[in-house]
Amino acid sequence: RKEVEQDPGPFNVPEGATVAFNCTYSNSASQSFFWYRQDCRKEPKLLMSVYSSGNEDGRFTAQLNRASQYISLLIRDSKLSDSATYLCVVNTRNDYKLSFGAGTTVTVRA
Amino acid sequence: DVKVTQSSRYLVKRTGEKVFLECVQDMDHENMFWYRQDPGLGLRLIYFSYDVKMKEKGDIPEGYSVSREKKERFSLILESASTNQTSMYLCASSVSGRSGDTQYFGPGTRLTVL
């Protein structure tokens, strides 16, 4: 079983729509959770960390559900510039190594 | 801003060649990482280094070696390139050994082995 699993999508949504997707992780001892964003043919960049109580960063909301071992990302009022692949990242080994999901692709159309 | 640079954006090599991929970071980060990224598989850790001359195997070290002679530079070596090593190679660095430190990535090297 993969350590981190994501629905690859693609999620095709119109501008202004809300889109949400989840990621599951296998290790219940995981401690740190992140969403990275990767634009086409570019490197991954940190979008936001995910905190136990959930957190928002502008139009982006991240949630953590430890009981069911998943994290979620919700994008409100989608913009064309939100089109990207979103990588779920989990620290599963209690050290500085991270485990990456294969990514969920979001395409926002005009 | 943190800057991680990689020596080449695109590289084409032949089977059996020795290949060097170089990565340099300019923020005095302690940790450096080499990943490969393949469709449907995500990023897989090849090797990482938490200090000069120190290295540890990641999840898929077979066929690769690394070198870290200076803090800012981390090299990935393919001793004898094979076609199954055709991939996107991403280097990353992070500040320290704290759990979950943000990793900053270079632009990647797309390697094709013929």
Side-chain angles (χ1 to χ4, degrees):
Chain A
R1 183 184 172 188
K2 289 182 181 178
E3 292 186 31
V4 181
E5 297 206 56
Q6 296 183 249
D7 180 347
F11 288 75
N12 294 308
V13 298
E15 270 188 295
T18 296
V19 59
F21 42 89
N22 296 338
C23 149
T24 59
Y25 60 93
S26 61
N27 188 339
S28 59
S30 298
Q31 294 188 331
S32 305
F33 308 89
F34 311 89
W35 285 103
Y36 277 65
R37 170 195 170 124
Q38 186 172 25
D39 293 321
C40 188
R41 300 187 187 280
K42 298 280 191 179
E43 72 272 22
K45 292 184 180 179
L46 178 67
L47 176 68
M48 59 195 299
S49 301
V50 185
Y51 302 121
S52 297
S53 55
N55 49 296
E56 278 189 20
D57 184 359
R59 298 179 292 105
F60 296 83
T61 301
Q63 298 277 358
L64 168 63
N65 185 317
R66 284 191 183 274
S68 300
Q69 294 183 207
Y70 74 86
I71 66 173
S72 63
L73 183 67
L74 181 145
I75 308 172
R76 282 188 303 277
D77 188 23
S78 300
K79 312 291 185 191
L80 294 176
S81 58
D82 294 334
S83 296
T85 297
Y86 292 86
L87 306 178
C88 174
V89 184
V90 178
N91 174 249
T92 59
R93 301 185 187 86
N94 197 29
D95 60 12
Y96 36 78
K97 292 184 284 184
L98 303 176
S99 292
F100 289 77
T104 296
T105 298
V106 173
T107 302
V108 182
R109 62 183 188 273
Chain B
D1 272 359
V2 175
K3 191 164 185 184
V4 180
T5 56
Q6 295 184 227
S7 50
S8 305
R9 291 301 303 271
Y10 299 93
L11 209 53
V12 179
K13 295 291 182 181
R14 297 207 174 272
T15 301
E17 282 193 77
K18 191 168 186 177
V19 182
F20 293 89
L21 303 182
E22 299 268 307
C23 173
V24 178
Q25 50 94 3
D26 67 355
M27 286 302 293
D28 202 36
H29 284 177
E30 292 184 12
N31 297 338
M32 296 188 75
F33 306 82
W34 274 107
Y35 296 89
R36 62 179 283 177
Q37 185 175 28
D38 301 289
L41 297 178
L43 276 76
R44 292 181 291 167
L45 183 64
I46 304 171
Y47 266 98
F48 68 99
S49 169
Y50 50 89
D51 200 353
V52 175
K53 296 191 186 293
M54 304 303 288
K55 60 186 179 185
E56 281 197 29
K57 293 179 180 179
D59 298 316
I60 51 164
E62 298 78 20
Y64 304 94
S65 62
V66 291
S67 171
R68 194 168 181 198
E69 297 296 319
K70 293 184 178 181
K71 191 173 186 179
E72 67 272 17
R73 189 179 298 270
F74 192 34
S75 301
L76 179 69
I77 302 148
L78 287 66
E79 294 291 341
S80 177
S82 62
T83 54
N84 62 12
Q85 292 179 309
T86 292
S87 186
M88 170 67 84
Y89 289 88
L90 289 159
C91 174
S93 70
S94 66
V95 172
S96 71
R98 285 194 303 273
S99 174
D101 261 353
T102 301
Q103 292 190 11
Y104 298 88
F105 286 84
T109 296
R110 185 165 293 281
L111 172 67
T112 301
V113 182
L114 302 175

